[in-house]
Amino acid sequence: MLTVSSLTGRDLLRIADLSSAEAEAVLDLAVELREQPKQPLLAGATLGLYFAKHSTRTRVSFSAGMAQLGGAAIALAPEELQLSRGESLPDTARALSGYLDALAVRTHAHAELAAWAEWASIPVINALTAEEHPCQALADALTIRDRLGSLDGVRVAWVGDGTNVLVSLAALGELLGYEVVAACPPGYEAPGVQSVRDPRDVVDGADVVVTDTWISMGDEHERVKRLIDLEPYRVDDALLALASPDAFVMHCLPAHPGEEITADVLYGKRSAIWDEAENRLHVQKALLVLLLRS
Ligand code: CP
Ligand code: NVA
């Protein structure tokens, strides 16, 4: 068990906030906590969950994770806070810092997350913004390492929309030694991520194939256009046949069978998606321990 952490007291807003050694420490501790899930490492600690967008996995895995570590989590629905009646974000963040040990924030604009981090004196964790989803990327890297034994030189093919999840997954690859190449339609590329047009070009020989919803939270008004533009980017058995024979598929969920992925692939024997979802719990517990213990 790691007792001295360079992450203590820090924020995790983007993958770039981590060093390679810190990212590896999160994965290593996640494996230890997966083996011994109920250890009172955060007894008495409280995590706030400020979620301005829907969530199933992130909210529940953070809540269950805190309970397993002997701490507690409090859901902070924006509409129930005085914030929604005009109290400022800085005043809310200052007051919450007096009660909580850490705050996980899911919101639209990354700048709003940065404001929470600026005004709160406790660690702030990005639980998803339109720009990044670092907790998801940590779970994804653990899932790949679990299956392949190492991340070094692993070829990850991303197919479809260049979402927040892709940005974090590719940034983490630069820290941990796997390579992400994306196939996205014009206009759907992710900033800073190498991309091509044809999904077959990235899946050919890939070790891992990853996709995400075609309609992320906040993109609902573009639904019709997105379904048309992304139609050639569905992950199906024919596309997967081009990948390495042992290749597996990941998806952060929620999935939309028949849109970005077929039901056969989602529920098939090459799907690592359900292990990936569980790994959210283990990496976030590790992250909380490293951020909160001195
Ligand atoms: N993958 C993910 O973040 O799921 P939720 O939106 O359900 O939290
Ligand atoms: N790209 C998706 C991920 C959901 C977990 C979104 O932002 O809605």
Side-chain angles (χ1 to χ4, degrees), residues 75 81 124 137 150 165 206 215 236 254:
L81 299 179
V124 171
S150 159
V165 173
I215 298 147
D236 59 15

Side-chain angles (χ1 to χ4, degrees), residues 54-59 106 133 136 217 252-254 280:
H54 292 85
S55 172
T56 297
R57 282 143 287 272
T58 310
R59 188 202 318 270
R106 171 170 285 202
H133 196 1
Q136 183 68 52
M217 291 178 278
C252 61
L253 300 172
R280 294 292 306 279

Side-chain angles (χ1 to χ4, degrees), residues 169-182:
L169 186 63
L172 188 57
E174 290 184 16
L175 296 182
L176 295 178
Y178 61 86
E179 185 193 30
V180 181
V181 183

Side-chain angles (χ1 to χ4, degrees), residues 53-54 57-58 106 128-130 133 136 158 161 163-166 212-213 215-220 252-254 280:
K53 287 174 162 177
H54 292 85
R57 282 143 287 272
T58 310
R106 171 170 285 202
L128 180 150
T129 65
H133 196 1
Q136 183 68 52
W158 178 278
D161 188 17
T163 66
N164 42 6
V165 173
L166 169 59
D212 188 3
T213 180
I215 298 147
S216 285
M217 291 178 278
D219 292 337
E220 292 81 0
C252 61
L253 300 172
R280 294 292 306 279

